[in-house]
Amino acid sequence: MNKQSNTYTIIYIIVLVVVVGTALAATSLALRGRQQDNVNADKMSQILNAALITPDKQNVVAEFDKYITEQFVVNDRGERMEGVDAFNVNVAAQSKLGADRRELPVFVCTTPDGAVKYIVPVYGAGLWGPIWGYVAFDSDGSTIYGAYFAHQGETPGLGAEIEKPAFSSQFEGKQVFKDGHFRPVAVVKAGQQPLNGEDYVDGISGGTITSKGVGAMLDNCLTPYRKFLQGLAQAAQ
């Protein structure tokens, strides 16, 4: 075949595309299991971080299995839902449903000092993309023990600061039940206070939209857990 002809060029391109495409597909399939393992390990690390446990990167799975002693799913009435895998619940999709239709994961953590914490996931929207995180509660069902937040594309030095301990550590010790009412922690501009008396933290300077996104995320995702958290409070009395 004439290597200078258009036919040869077209055939060569087709063969090259098929060979490269096949190689990439085979590589992707071969690595899929490892990629999913990395995704799971990162999620485990985030859950533990909410309980103020920083796992060794080489032993995340082992430490997750050590400290997370139970996983289950509840509905908005605080009742356990059977047959649902808490770890694999799509929190992003669930956050868009009505509260009465949601599957609400709970991760029970026993910290190194033997205390029991209850960790729940949250998911929302920032300025440029999704934001998410985990909030750990004491066994009284009201006091926040720790929190972890992450983002997909918030602005470095501004909205991206939600992933820093300087922001998340503000939530430690805050209460979601105030005067008998359930009020998720508000995120407000520094120097301001919410009007209805709920606990609050300072938002990110220069990251107003992301800060409001965190506040809205907490309201949307924690409120369906109200009955469950009330049950913890009653059990602790």
Side-chain angles (χ1 to χ4, degrees):
M1 182 180 293
N2 182 4
K3 293 185 178 181
Q4 304 301 320
S5 67
N6 290 336
T7 301
Y8 177 85
T9 301
I10 293 172
I11 294 175
Y12 178 83
I13 292 173
I14 292 174
V15 171
L16 182 63
V17 169
V18 171
V19 170
V20 172
T22 301
L24 290 175
T27 301
S28 177
L29 287 173
L31 295 177
R32 183 172 297 173
R34 184 178 300 176
Q35 291 170 342
Q36 187 59 50
D37 288 343
N38 289 338
V39 170
N40 290 343
D42 184 53
K43 181 175 180 178
M44 292 175 183
S45 179
Q46 292 180 21
I47 292 171
L48 290 175
N49 270 278
L52 308 183
I53 298 172
T54 304
D56 176 30
K57 291 183 179 180
Q58 304 302 318
N59 298 293
V60 173
V61 176
E63 295 198 30
F64 183 84
D65 291 340
K66 175 183 178 180
Y67 294 115
I68 301 301
T69 53
E70 189 178 8
Q71 304 176 43
F72 55 88
V73 176
V74 298
N75 57 26
D76 71 324
R77 297 182 298 279
E79 303 164 339
R80 292 202 185 197
M81 302 176 68
E82 302 299 329
V84 186
D85 181 1
F87 191 82
N88 290 313
V89 168
N90 186 335
V91 179
Q94 293 295 316
S95 69
K96 297 177 176 62
L97 301 177
D100 61 342
R101 298 172 56 199
R102 293 191 200 179
E103 298 171 348
L104 306 169
V106 178
F107 301 91
V108 183
C109 176
T110 301
T111 60
D113 63 358
V116 177
K117 311 299 176 183
Y118 297 84
I119 306 169
V120 302
V122 292
Y123 188 95
L127 174 59
W128 301 113
I131 56 177
W132 64 91
Y134 296 89
V135 180
F137 289 91
D138 283 340
S139 57
D140 65 3
S142 179
T143 307
I144 293 178
Y145 177 72
Y148 173 90
F149 301 107
H151 66 92
Q152 180 172 295
E154 299 306 287
T155 307
L158 298 175
E161 295 297 299
I162 64 170
E163 67 182 1
K164 301 293 182 62
F167 177 72
S168 60
S169 64
Q170 295 183 86
F171 288 84
E172 297 170 19
K174 302 299 183 183
Q175 305 284 328
V176 295
F177 284 100
K178 303 284 288 187
D179 300 323
H181 299 284
F182 183 77
R183 297 190 174 110
V185 178
V187 182
V188 300
K189 186 176 180 180
Q192 295 183 352
Q193 296 184 16
L195 298 177
N196 61 359
E198 74 259 49
D199 276 355
Y200 65 94
V201 301
D202 292 337
I204 302 297
S205 178
T208 302
I209 295 179
T210 307
S211 297
K212 288 182 177 179
V214 173
M217 172 175 71
L218 295 175
D219 184 49
N220 178 46
C221 293
L222 293 185
T223 300
Y225 284 95
R226 179 173 61 85
K227 291 290 187 180
F228 170 74
L229 295 172
Q230 281 181 328
L232 293 181
Q234 293 169 358
Q237 292 177 353

